[in-house]
Amino acid sequence: LCSKKKTRLRRQTSILTAKDMALSMKTNAAVRLPSARAAIKARARQQPRLRTVVVRASEEEVKSTEDAAPKSTIASPVSEPTPTFGSLMSFSGPVPELANGRLAMLGFSSAILLEKITGEKVFRLVQDLPLTVAFLAVTFIVATFIPLLKKETPEKKATGIFQANAEMWNGRAAMLGFALLLVIEANSKGPFF
């Protein structure tokens, strides 16, 4: 009972305090000049009123588990943003190195095979088969883009010896090998292989 009386007394005190504040505001406003009062009212009409809501929370004990509804504690998965062409082709994006590495692996292995068969340099082979080279390049680049646009990465598809890290290193080695092959054949009279 004592705590209820104290609470009621606090409420009455706070109500009286609010009433006293309102009364003092009215008396102060009455002292002001009429033009100042009109300016305040005009300003109040122009500006929208800001309202504040005060929310207070406190702990509440749950007495029985039957009364409380079961709550889900599993968070919904956060969806990753869909990759765009610009983000995939950016300097730090996955496509430039993947596509160049795959094209270098194709070019280096094709150069070895076709030089052995035809006995011609890589430059001459590209001049003889420009549409084939362009078609293969476009096909490999598109084949690199499609899974990445569907949010599939090489790391997700890795199994056994086919790891994304291995593909990157093989692509880097093929880029260096193909570049060296072009430099060597540019400075020699015949094919390297």
Side-chain angles (χ1 to χ4, degrees):
L1 287 171
C2 186
S3 65
K4 287 184 180 180
K5 287 182 182 178
K6 286 181 182 177
T7 306
R8 196 176 303 138
L9 182 62
R10 280 188 211 142
R11 284 186 194 154
Q12 288 175 350
T13 307
S14 64
I15 292 171
L16 288 174
T17 307
K19 285 181 181 176
D20 291 339
M21 287 174 48
L23 182 62
S24 68
M25 288 172 58
K26 285 182 183 178
T27 33
N28 289 339
V31 174
R32 292 186 189 144
L33 297 173
S35 61
R37 196 175 319 152
I40 291 172
K41 285 182 181 179
R43 206 177 315 136
R45 273 186 247 130
Q46 290 174 354
Q47 296 176 348
R49 280 189 158 189
L50 299 176
R51 296 181 183 188
T52 57
V53 177
V54 178
V55 178
R56 293 190 179 133
S58 63
E59 284 189 38
E60 185 176 304
E61 292 182 30
V62 178
K63 294 182 181 178
S64 70
T65 56
E66 296 171 1
D67 295 340
K71 295 181 181 177
S72 174
T73 57
I74 300 172
S76 62
V78 177
S79 63
E80 296 175 13
T82 305
T84 62
F85 180 80
S87 68
L88 292 175
M89 286 298 292
S90 67
F91 185 73
S92 61
V95 172
E97 188 170 12
L98 267 176
N100 287 329
R102 289 174 181 175
L103 289 172
M105 287 186 273
L106 175 69
F108 191 68
S109 58
S110 298
I112 293 171
L113 181 68
L114 291 174
E115 279 188 5
K116 289 241 184 223
I117 293 172
T118 62
E120 294 182 2
K121 290 182 171 186
V122 174
F123 296 110
R124 183 72 184 160
L125 292 170
V126 172
Q127 288 174 352
D128 292 343
L129 306 167
L131 292 178
T132 306
V133 172
F135 174 75
L136 288 172
V138 169
T139 304
F140 270 67
I141 291 170
V142 169
T144 303
F145 262 106
I146 290 173
L148 293 173
L149 287 172
K150 292 182 178 179
K151 297 181 186 177
E152 295 176 12
T153 59
E155 289 82 16
K156 292 180 182 176
K157 297 268 183 175
T159 56
I161 61 168
F162 300 104
Q163 301 291 322
N165 195 22
E167 182 184 15
M168 290 298 242
W169 281 107
N170 290 337
R172 290 169 184 163
M175 285 187 265
L176 288 173
F178 194 66
L180 284 173
L181 178 67
L182 293 175
V183 169
I184 290 170
E185 286 191 0
N187 294 323
S188 68
K189 293 182 179 181
F192 184 73
F193 293 106

